[in-house]
Amino acid sequence: MEILFTNKVALVTGAGSGLGLGTAKAFAAAGAKVALADIDEGAVKRAAHELTAAGHKAIAIRCDVSKEAEVEAMVEKTIATLGSLDVAYNNAGIQAPVAETADALGEDFDRAIAVNLKGVWNCLKYELRHMREKGSGAIVNCSSQGGLVGTANLGAYVAAKHGVLGLTKSSALEYAARGIRINAICPGVIETPMVSKAIADAPEHMEAIIKAVPIQRVGKEEEIAATVLWLCSPLAGFMVGQAVAPDGGFTAA
C-alpha cells in the first residue's frame, strides 16, 4: 500500500543534509508540504529550492534546535506559511568526539545533550502545543542504535540518545489518548555526511562498529526515510512510544 501525505504539512529538522534531507524529499514525494529546518541556512535553503524546483511546496527555516526561542519561531513559521502541522521528524543531531569518559571534555558533553536531547524536547514542546489543539498528529524523534545499547568512547552521545527514548515514551503516554502518536527511530550506521565525517575523524572506532553490523553493510538514507514515513502514517496507527531500530541487526545481538 502506498503511503501518501497529500495536503499534509511535515516539519523536518536537520534537513539540510543526510537523514533529514532524505526524509524531507520522501515526504514531498508523498504529497506533503514540507518545512525544512537546519542550523546551516545555506544548506537548507538549497534543499528547499531543490524541492520547489521539482514542483513541491517547501520552505526553508534556519534553526538551532538547542535554542528554545528559535524552535518556537520555527514551528510558528511552519504553521503561518504552510497552514498547519500534521507530522514532524525531529532529526537534528550532532556526533560527539570519540573519547574515554575520563578524558572527555565537559563542553562536548554539554553540546551533545543540548542538541541531541534538549533539542528534541524543544521541538516536541512546540509541535505538541499545536497538535493538541487540533487533536491529531504524528511525531518521530531520532534516537540511534546508541540509544538502545552502550558504545565505548561515545558516552555523551549515547547518554543523549538514551534520553530521547525516555522522553519519547513519556510524551507518548501523555498524548496517545488525544490523537497524537509519538515514536522514535533508532538508525544504525547510515551512509550520510555525518557518518562520513565520523569515519574520517575516528577510522578505527567506526570500522569496528561497521564490522559488527550483521547485514554486512551500512544503511541507506531512503531506508530510514521509509521507516519515518510509515511511523507517521495511518499504517502505523497502533504504534505508540516505540523505538524502531533499522540498524541491520546491530542491536539484535
Coordinates of all heavy atoms in Angstrom, one line a residue, residues 15-52:
A15 N 17.4 19.1 8.2 CA 17.0 18.8 6.8 C 17.9 19.3 5.8 O 17.7 19.2 4.6 CB 15.6 19.3 6.6
G16 N 19.1 19.9 6.2 CA 20.0 20.4 5.2 C 20.8 19.3 4.5 O 21.4 19.6 3.4
S17 N 20.9 18.2 5.1 CA 21.7 17.1 4.5 C 21.3 15.8 5.2 O 20.5 15.8 6.2 CB 23.2 17.3 4.7 OG 23.5 17.3 6.1
G18 N 21.8 14.7 4.8 CA 21.7 13.4 5.5 C 20.3 12.9 5.6 O 19.5 13.0 4.7
L19 N 20.0 12.3 6.8 CA 18.7 11.7 7.0 C 17.6 12.7 6.9 O 16.5 12.3 6.4 CB 18.7 11.0 8.4 CG 19.7 9.9 8.6 CD1 19.5 9.2 10.0 CD2 19.6 8.8 7.6
G20 N 17.8 13.9 7.4 CA 16.8 14.9 7.4 C 16.4 15.3 6.0 O 15.2 15.3 5.6
L21 N 17.4 15.5 5.1 CA 17.1 15.8 3.7 C 16.4 14.7 3.0 O 15.5 14.9 2.3 CB 18.4 16.2 3.0 CG 18.3 16.6 1.5 CD1 17.3 17.6 1.3 CD2 19.7 17.0 1.0
G22 N 17.0 13.5 3.2 CA 16.4 12.3 2.6 C 14.9 12.1 2.9 O 14.1 11.8 2.1
T23 N 14.6 12.4 4.2 CA 13.2 12.2 4.7 C 12.3 13.3 4.2 O 11.2 13.1 3.8 CB 13.2 12.1 6.2 OG1 14.0 11.0 6.6 CG2 11.8 11.8 6.7
A24 N 12.8 14.6 4.2 CA 12.1 15.7 3.6 C 11.7 15.4 2.2 O 10.6 15.7 1.7 CB 12.9 17.0 3.7
K25 N 12.6 14.9 1.4 CA 12.4 14.6 0.0 C 11.3 13.5 -0.1 O 10.4 13.5 -1.0 CB 13.6 14.1 -0.7 CG 14.6 15.2 -1.0 CD 15.9 14.6 -1.6 CE 16.9 15.7 -2.0 NZ 18.1 15.1 -2.6
A26 N 11.3 12.5 0.8 CA 10.3 11.4 0.8 C 8.9 12.0 1.1 O 8.0 11.6 0.5 CB 10.7 10.3 1.7
F27 N 8.9 12.9 2.1 CA 7.6 13.5 2.4 C 7.0 14.3 1.3 O 5.8 14.2 0.9 CB 7.7 14.4 3.7 CG 7.5 13.7 5.0 CD1 8.5 13.8 6.0 CD2 6.4 13.0 5.3 CE1 8.3 13.2 7.2 CE2 6.2 12.4 6.5 CZ 7.2 12.5 7.5
A28 N 7.9 15.0 0.6 CA 7.5 15.8 -0.5 C 7.0 14.9 -1.7 O 5.9 15.2 -2.3 CB 8.6 16.7 -1.0
A29 N 7.7 13.8 -1.9 CA 7.3 12.9 -3.0 C 6.0 12.2 -2.7 O 5.2 11.8 -3.6 CB 8.4 11.8 -3.2
A30 N 5.7 12.1 -1.4 CA 4.4 11.5 -0.9 C 3.3 12.5 -0.9 O 2.2 12.2 -0.4 CB 4.6 10.9 0.4
G31 N 3.5 13.8 -1.3 CA 2.5 14.8 -1.4 C 2.4 15.8 -0.3 O 1.5 16.7 -0.4
A32 N 3.3 15.7 0.6 CA 3.3 16.7 1.7 C 3.9 18.1 1.4 O 4.7 18.1 0.5 CB 4.0 16.1 3.0
K33 N 3.4 19.1 2.0 CA 4.1 20.4 2.1 C 5.1 20.3 3.2 O 4.8 19.8 4.3 CB 3.1 21.5 2.3 CG 2.1 21.7 1.2 CD 1.1 22.8 1.5 CE 0.0 22.4 2.5 NZ -1.0 23.4 2.7
V34 N 6.3 20.7 2.9 CA 7.4 20.4 3.8 C 8.1 21.6 4.3 O 8.5 22.5 3.5 CB 8.4 19.4 3.2 CG1 9.5 19.0 4.3 CG2 7.7 18.2 2.6
A35 N 8.3 21.8 5.6 CA 9.2 22.8 6.2 C 10.5 22.1 6.6 O 10.5 21.2 7.3 CB 8.5 23.4 7.5
L36 N 11.5 22.6 5.9 CA 12.9 22.0 6.2 C 13.6 23.0 7.1 O 13.7 24.2 6.8 CB 13.7 21.9 4.9 CG 13.1 20.9 3.8 CD1 12.1 21.5 2.9 CD2 14.3 20.3 3.0
A37 N 14.1 22.5 8.2 CA 14.8 23.3 9.2 C 16.2 22.8 9.4 O 16.5 21.6 9.4 CB 14.1 23.4 10.5
D38 N 17.2 23.7 9.6 CA 18.6 23.3 9.8 C 19.3 24.5 10.3 O 19.0 25.7 10.0 CB 19.2 22.8 8.5 CG 20.4 21.9 8.7 OD1 21.5 22.5 9.1 OD2 20.3 20.7 8.6
I39 N 20.4 24.2 11.1 CA 21.2 25.3 11.6 C 22.1 25.9 10.5 O 22.5 27.1 10.5 CB 22.2 24.8 12.7 CG1 22.8 26.0 13.5 CG2 23.2 23.8 12.2 CD1 23.5 25.6 14.7
D40 N 22.3 25.1 9.4 CA 23.1 25.6 8.2 C 22.1 26.2 7.2 O 21.4 25.5 6.5 CB 23.8 24.4 7.6 CG 24.7 24.8 6.4 OD1 24.5 25.9 5.8 OD2 25.7 24.1 6.2
E41 N 22.0 27.5 7.3 CA 21.0 28.2 6.5 C 21.2 28.0 5.0 O 20.2 27.8 4.2 CB 21.0 29.7 6.8 CG 19.9 30.5 6.2 CD 19.8 31.9 6.7 OE1 20.8 32.4 7.3 OE2 18.8 32.6 6.4
G42 N 22.4 28.1 4.6 CA 22.7 27.9 3.1 C 22.3 26.5 2.6 O 21.6 26.4 1.6
A43 N 22.6 25.5 3.4 CA 22.3 24.1 3.0 C 20.8 23.9 3.0 O 20.3 23.3 2.0 CB 22.9 23.1 4.0
V44 N 20.1 24.4 4.0 CA 18.6 24.2 4.0 C 17.9 25.0 2.9 O 16.9 24.5 2.4 CB 18.0 24.4 5.4 CG1 17.9 25.9 5.7 CG2 16.7 23.7 5.6
K45 N 18.4 26.1 2.6 CA 17.8 26.9 1.5 C 18.0 26.2 0.2 O 17.1 26.2 -0.7 CB 18.4 28.3 1.4 CG 17.8 29.3 2.5 CD 18.4 30.7 2.3 CE 17.7 31.6 3.3 NZ 18.3 33.0 3.1
R46 N 19.2 25.6 0.0 CA 19.4 24.9 -1.3 C 18.5 23.7 -1.4 O 18.0 23.3 -2.4 CB 20.9 24.5 -1.4 CG 21.9 25.6 -1.6 CD 23.3 25.1 -1.9 NE 23.9 24.5 -0.8 CZ 24.6 25.1 0.2 NH1 24.7 26.4 0.1 NH2 25.1 24.4 1.2
A47 N 18.3 23.0 -0.2 CA 17.5 21.8 -0.2 C 16.0 22.1 -0.5 O 15.4 21.4 -1.3 CB 17.6 21.1 1.2
A48 N 15.5 23.2 0.1 CA 14.2 23.6 -0.2 C 14.0 24.1 -1.6 O 13.0 23.8 -2.3 CB 13.8 24.7 0.8
H49 N 15.0 24.8 -2.1 CA 14.9 25.2 -3.5 C 14.9 24.0 -4.5 O 14.1 24.0 -5.5 CB 16.1 26.1 -3.9 CG 16.2 26.5 -5.3 ND1 15.3 27.4 -5.8 CD2 16.9 26.1 -6.4 CE1 15.6 27.6 -7.1 NE2 16.5 26.8 -7.5
E50 N 15.6 23.0 -4.2 CA 15.6 21.8 -5.0 C 14.2 21.2 -5.0 O 13.7 20.7 -6.1 CB 16.6 20.7 -4.4 CG 16.6 19.4 -5.2 CD 17.6 18.4 -4.6 OE1 18.4 18.8 -3.7 OE2 17.5 17.2 -5.0
L51 N 13.5 21.2 -3.9 CA 12.1 20.6 -3.9 C 11.1 21.5 -4.6 O 10.3 21.0 -5.3 CB 11.7 20.4 -2.4 CG 12.4 19.3 -1.6 CD1 11.9 19.3 -0.2 CD2 12.2 18.0 -2.3
T52 N 11.2 22.8 -4.4 CA 10.3 23.7 -5.1 C 10.5 23.7 -6.6 O 9.6 23.8 -7.4 CB 10.4 25.2 -4.5 OG1 11.8 25.6 -4.7 CG2 10.0 25.2 -3.1

